[in-house]
Amino acid sequence: MSVLQTPEKGPVIHDWRPEDPAFWGRSGKQTARRNLWISIPALLLAFAVWMVWSTVIVRLNAIGFSFSTDQLFWLAALPGLSGATLRIFYSFMVPIFGGRRWTALSTASLLIPALWMGFAVQDSSTPYSVFVLIALLCGFGGGNFASSMSNISFFYPKSQQGTALGLNAGLGNLGVSVMQFCVPLVISFGVFGFMGGQPQVLADGSSLWLQNAGFIWVPFILAVTLIAWFGMNDLSSARASFSEQAVIFKRKHNWLMCWLYLATFGSFIGFSAAFPLLIKTSFPEVIALKFAFLGPLVGALVRPLGGWLADKLGGAKVTLWNFVLMIVMVFGVLHFLPKGGEGGSFYGFLGMFMLLFITTGVGNGSTFRMIPVIFRTLHEKAALGKKPEQREQALKNAGKESAAVLGFSSAMGAFGAFFIPKSFGTSMALTGGPEMAFYMFVGFYLSCIVVTWWWYARKGAATPC
């Protein structure tokens, strides 16, 4: 028996009552924490593989390829498209397969794009279509977020879900920054010796091991897969068929929260994917990979703060004012961009973008905190005056629905990883700069302010949270 599992429970837990203070204090809290702290590195690796193309595309042409700027932006955007689409399906996997089994399986799947990328970049005759396929397969990492958040939501009581989900997502999101920091380092020398392949020789005579951008994650993926299999738990109380979960498609608040999460997480992951190439195209004299990791780093680190603030102040209030700040920061970024290829300030641009990343992180945490509160409130209202067993069943239904919405809204939010890089690419192709895309984002954030205020934040809102 694994030392990571309690002897009396094993991999499947049949009695799980996180809202019961006695149960939570006796064994629930310890079990929930163990599953959370295994989930976090699994999710970190998923984000690293999902967004790895954001750094690879910056050096791809330097090693013998000749792709256009629009083609490179497509490679940055495609993992977002496939990852978001996979999240739709991954949203419903945990109640069907179990959190332990699905976490191990979905983590192991990351080996496919990581290994294939490592081999493909070593051959300068590899066609663009192959890179497109590998980029789409990197979406496996994006899909993992939906199932991971759904799984952790089952383990924690309502009062602690904001913090727990914030930690899981925030530290998991660090995978983007970890990847953007580590990849420029590991591609500069032969980490794996002769087993890692030959280096690519650049025009200035220096060497690059771009294959390490994929290979470096392989041993960690293998290790975390095994730890998840032997160390996590499946909750029988979380089991539900797809038809039971599909009720969320009839819930208005599911679609409203998808809209809001597209603005928060979608902005975080979309800006993360586009940031390195946006720096390179706007400020050609700057070495983009020296700074690109900073944005995802600060955005990920403050995500738990967003969940914590929502626990203390209310998710709707935090989310509403956060959207206001996001608009302010976008105008700050626009102010420091070069105009007509002249002027601009890189450090002003960088500073404002860091603040924009911070607001995306806070919004990620606060919007996710809103979801369990909304659905618990709805089911509690519907169960007023009913028998105790009916009220208990209502709370279980609320948990299952909120978990499904957490996963599904994360799927919708992940489309930002496609739309934002593609918006920048289209804006540059049509106007020569990214300004048009930024103005579109401002309009979107304004619509989110209206949605948040009307349904959740105003006095007399039907579902305050």
Side-chain angles (χ1 to χ4, degrees):
M1 176 163 299
S2 170
V3 296
L4 292 174
Q5 293 171 352
T6 54
E8 71 277 13
K9 290 180 179 177
V12 181
I13 299 176
H14 297 287
D15 179 25
W16 189 251
R17 293 171 281 114
E19 300 293 347
D20 181 346
F23 174 87
W24 182 253
R26 184 172 64 252
S27 60
K29 184 176 183 179
Q30 180 182 359
T31 301
R33 280 183 173 177
R34 171 164 43 80
N35 280 269
L36 173 62
W37 289 110
I38 296 174
S39 175
I40 287 171
L43 191 54
L44 186 148
L45 288 170
F47 270 92
V49 172
W50 188 26
M51 289 288 106
V52 71
W53 280 102
S54 67
T55 54
V56 172
I57 57 174
V58 176
R59 304 307 300 272
L60 207 53
N61 284 351
I63 63 171
F65 296 94
S66 55
F67 301 137
S68 69
T69 298
D70 191 50
Q71 285 179 310
L72 294 176
F73 267 120
W74 266 108
L75 290 179
L78 285 172
L81 180 63
S82 60
T85 304
L86 285 173
R87 282 189 182 192
I88 297 173
F89 302 99
Y90 280 38
S91 302
F92 306 101
M93 293 297 103
V94 168
I96 296 173
F97 289 96
R100 174 186 66 93
R101 280 182 284 185
W102 187 254
T103 300
L105 177 63
S106 60
T107 301
S109 72
L110 303 176
L111 291 169
I112 300 171
L115 286 168
W116 196 0
M117 172 190 287
F119 290 114
V121 297
Q122 295 182 64
D123 183 359
S124 60
S125 66
T126 300
Y128 182 72
S129 58
V130 171
F131 288 124
V132 166
L133 185 55
I134 298 171
L136 288 170
L137 289 175
C138 283
F140 284 153
N144 286 10
F145 182 82
S147 54
S148 177
M149 296 298 279
S150 173
N151 183 45
I152 293 304
S153 73
F154 285 114
F155 280 95
Y156 279 84
K158 172 188 172 184
S159 61
Q160 298 183 39
Q161 283 185 353
T163 302
L165 292 173
L167 284 170
N168 189 52
L171 298 181
N173 290 171
L174 274 177
V176 182
S177 184
V178 168
M179 178 276 298
Q180 290 183 343
F181 178 79
C182 291
V183 165
L185 298 178
V186 299
I187 64 176
S188 63
F189 64 100
V191 177
F192 299 101
F194 72 92
M195 294 189 298
Q198 296 299 311
Q200 299 88 42
V201 180
L202 305 184
D204 61 4
S206 61
S207 296
L208 202 67
W209 286 260
L210 196 59
Q211 61 266 33
N212 289 349
F215 289 158
I216 193 62
W217 311 111
V218 171
F220 298 104
I221 292 170
L222 290 171
V224 172
T225 297
L226 292 173
I227 293 171
W229 182 262
F230 291 106
M232 296 185 77
N233 297 101
D234 297 318
L235 299 178
S236 61
S237 61
R239 291 295 175 89
S241 65
F242 174 77
S243 59
E244 289 177 287
Q245 301 175 75
V247 69
I248 67 169
F249 298 123
K250 301 177 182 178
R251 305 295 193 203
K252 171 183 65 179
H253 296 286
N254 171 51
W255 301 106
L256 293 174
M257 292 310 301
C258 285
W259 189 255
L260 299 184
Y261 199 60
L262 176 60
T264 55
F265 178 78
S267 295
F268 168 80
I269 201 64
F271 290 145
S272 297
F275 197 40
L277 198 54
L278 187 61
I279 293 174
K280 184 179 179 181
T281 54
S282 300
F283 299 93
E285 72 282 2
V286 175
I287 301 176
L289 293 183
K290 283 188 175 181
F291 301 95
F293 75 95
L294 293 172
L297 175 64
V298 297
L301 288 177
V302 300
R303 178 162 185 159
L305 175 63
W308 180 82
L309 285 173
D311 281 338
K312 300 297 182 183
L313 304 176
K317 182 185 296 185
V318 174
T319 300
L320 177 68
W321 287 106
N322 190 71
F323 281 132
V324 173
L325 291 175
M326 288 178 74
I327 292 173
V328 172
M329 300 315 160
V330 168
F331 280 111
V333 170
L334 285 166
H335 176 74
F336 289 108
L337 275 173
K339 306 296 188 295
E342 298 181 359
S345 167
F346 171 70
Y347 287 103
F349 166 87
L350 180 65
M352 295 308 300
F353 229 122
M354 293 305 100
L355 293 174
L356 180 57
F357 268 110
I358 288 173
T359 58
T360 66
V362 171
N364 287 342
S366 63
T367 48
F368 249 38
R369 173 65 180 96
M370 291 169 65
I371 292 171
V373 176
I374 290 168
F375 283 86
R376 186 181 179 91
T377 301
L378 290 173
H379 282 274
E380 284 178 342
K381 286 182 177 180
L384 284 175
K386 294 186 177 180
K387 296 178 181 180
E389 58 270 20
Q390 291 176 310
R391 292 198 296 271
E392 183 179 350
Q393 184 59 45
L395 293 181
K396 289 182 179 180
N397 291 340
K400 291 178 181 179
E401 285 189 29
S402 63
V405 174
L406 286 170
F408 186 73
S409 63
S410 76
M412 296 299 101
F415 279 106
F418 170 75
F419 287 122
I420 287 182
K422 194 65 192 78
S423 295
F424 284 133
T426 301
S427 178
M428 289 180 181
L430 294 177
T431 68
E435 290 84 357
M436 181 180 72
F438 279 117
Y439 287 120
M440 290 172 56
F441 304 151
V442 168
F444 182 37
Y445 299 154
L446 284 171
S447 75
C448 292
I449 290 175
V450 173
V451 169
T452 306
W453 177 79
W454 179 259
W455 272 283
Y456 306 114
R458 67 184 173 92
K459 186 178 181 180
T463 314
C465 56

